[in-house]
């Protein structure tokens, strides 16, 4: 199992079009995980048709990047206020967020909406001022706007110390200095590693896993995505599933998956702090806890208020 110190679980939050998809594409490309020809067919975060149709991200998607010896799990978030519950759930699943803001447009309504959710979960966002290549980019003013927004939303002193990276996701460049760009995303990776904490939960405790997102696949059926909150989970293991009403039932973990690039990869076991997908539990739903049968304790009930729940 990967050392917990080498894991970073992050979410990317932004107003639509500020560059989430492009940034994740570049982070993936530069970490050498996917070969060039895959980039076009399988863009990182917007492969969902429905999503394209509506111009917003419907289903949150997971990506994992390896940088040096680190595994960076990235969860995409919907920027739209209709998905407030989902954004909130994702904020509980990660240890840090990247807040992307367009260097020309500055803060927009969805910037405020997603930033509020992150601050409420006591996360200190890393601010990414993106599109620094735009001729009309005004990074210093935009950072002032971002700071004002943090203050308006009641950020703590610690949150006001947010790190800043200036980037052009389009060109694959980044830097800590608004005046010059380095030819790679290295400043971005390094800032993530340095400022976002590693998972702190315990592996040597009874299993708890909170189903945070649902996915579906015709071969695997319902797929529960979430974070192992404590303990270890193994393929083939018997578990207790506790629903939102507190009712318990026994189930078996048929398959476990971790994330690698844009793909899910089958794994034997996962530990506290890992973001994983679980297949084989038929009626599983968002907000349910998967727990150790000897010690079946439910995690706090989650807020659910968006259409994802209607998914079959
Ligand atoms: P998302 O909605 O946040 O996922 O945004 P996208 O990644 O789809 O980007 C929206 C648009 O902005 C696309 O046309 C991108 O090519 C463009 N874009 C993204 N990053 C940059 C950047 O760093 N510089 C410039 N000039 N354009 C960018």
């Amino acid at each position: 199992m990967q050392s917990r110190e080498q894991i970073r679980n992050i979410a990317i939050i932004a107003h639509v079009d500020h560059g989430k998809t492009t940034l994740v594409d570049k982070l993936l490309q530069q970490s050498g995980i996917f070969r060039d020809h895959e980039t076009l067919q399988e863009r990182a975060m917007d492969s969902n048709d429905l999503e394209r149709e509506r111009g917003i991200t419907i289903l949150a998607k997971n990506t994992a990047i390896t940088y040096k010896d680190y595994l960076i799990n990235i969860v995409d978030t919907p920027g739209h206020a209709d998905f407030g519950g989902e954004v909130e759930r994702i904020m509980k699943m990660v240890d840090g967020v990247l807040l992307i803001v367009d260097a020309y447009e500055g803060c927009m309504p969805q910037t405020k909406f997603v930033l509020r959710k992150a601050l409420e979960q006591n996360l200190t966002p890393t601010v990414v001022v993106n599109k620094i290549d735009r001729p009309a980019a005004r990074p210093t003013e935009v950072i002032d706007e971002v700071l004002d927004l943090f203050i308006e939303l009641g950020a703590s002193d610690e949150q006001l110390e947010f790190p800043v990276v200036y980037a052009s996701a389009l060109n694959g460049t980044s830097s800590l200095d608004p005046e010059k760009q380095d030819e790679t995303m290295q400043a971005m990776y390094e800032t993530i590693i340095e400022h976002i904490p590693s998972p702190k939960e315990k592996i040597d405790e009874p299993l708890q896993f909170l189903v945070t997102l649902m996915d579906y696949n015709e071969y695997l059926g319902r797929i529960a995505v979430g974070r192992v909150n404590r303990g270890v989970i193994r393929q083939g293991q018997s578990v207790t599933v506790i629903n939102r009403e507190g009712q318990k039932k026994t189930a078996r973990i048929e398959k476990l998956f971790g994330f690698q690039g844009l793909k899910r990869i089958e794994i034997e076991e996962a530990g506290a702090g890992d973001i994983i997908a679980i297949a084989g539990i038929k009626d599983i739903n968002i907000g349910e806890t998967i727990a150790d049968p000897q010690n079946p304790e439910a995690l706090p009930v989650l807020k659910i208020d968006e259409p994802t729940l209607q998914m079959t």
Side-chain angles (χ1 to χ4, degrees), residues 104-290:
Y104 168 69
E105 276 200 351
C107 296
M108 298 297 278
Q110 290 161 35
T111 314
K112 182 171 177 178
F113 164 73
V114 287
L115 176 59
R116 173 182 282 128
K117 295 284 182 194
L119 295 175
E120 280 170 2
Q121 294 304 319
N122 295 319
L123 298 168
T124 297
T126 291
V127 175
V128 177
V129 178
N130 188 38
K131 308 199 189 183
I132 196 88
D133 61 285
R134 286 181 75 169
R138 42 182 195 95
T140 314
E141 272 169 61
V142 165
I143 279 299
D144 284 345
E145 281 178 26
V146 171
L147 183 60
D148 287 345
L149 190 60
F150 270 67
I151 294 168
E152 183 193 330
L153 293 172
S156 67
D157 290 348
E158 197 186 329
Q159 288 170 326
L160 290 176
E161 299 288 311
F162 56 86
V164 181
V165 184
Y166 299 89
S168 166
L170 190 67
N171 297 337
T173 65
S174 70
S175 167
L176 302 184
D177 178 350
E179 301 297 330
K180 70 172 203 355
Q181 285 290 289
D182 301 331
E183 284 311 307
T184 70
M185 283 287 168
Q186 189 160 7
M188 184 88 66
Y189 296 118
E190 292 290 338
T191 305
I192 293 169
I193 302 303
E194 188 185 331
H195 289 277
I196 293 171
S198 60
K200 297 289 181 278
E201 302 97 322
K202 298 264 165 54
I203 284 192
D204 54 356
E205 286 183 352
L207 169 67
Q208 261 185 334
F209 171 93
L210 187 61
V211 181
T212 305
L213 304 165
M214 288 299 301
D215 203 346
Y216 183 83
N217 165 311
E218 61 179 302
Y219 302 106
L220 297 168
R222 294 173 81 84
I223 302 167
V225 178
R227 173 180 180 133
V228 182
N229 290 70
R230 50 173 218 210
V232 173
I233 187 164
R234 294 192 176 83
Q235 217 167 101
Q237 182 182 355
S238 284
V239 293
T240 297
V241 178
I242 311 164
N243 73 10
R244 291 163 57 79
E245 281 74 47
Q247 291 153 337
K248 298 183 179 117
K249 67 168 191 198
T250 303
R252 186 172 176 275
I253 305 297
E254 299 283 343
K255 280 189 191 303
L256 274 187
F257 299 91
F259 298 92
Q260 191 179 78
L262 301 176
K263 299 190 176 77
R264 273 194 279 264
I265 48 158
E266 214 171 316
I267 52 174
E268 290 286 313
E269 60 173 14
D274 280 323
I275 291 180
I276 56 162
I278 299 174
I281 305 181
K282 244 197 266 144
D283 310 315
I284 195 84
N285 241 317
I286 290 174
E288 299 184 343
T289 301
I290 295 177

Side-chain angles (χ1 to χ4, degrees), residues 14-23 43 130-134 167-171:
H15 187 82
V16 65
D17 277 348
H18 282 195
K20 278 196 296 189
T21 312
T22 310
L23 181 72
R43 290 197 67 200
N130 188 38
K131 308 199 189 183
I132 196 88
D133 61 285
R134 286 181 75 169
S168 166
L170 190 67
N171 297 337

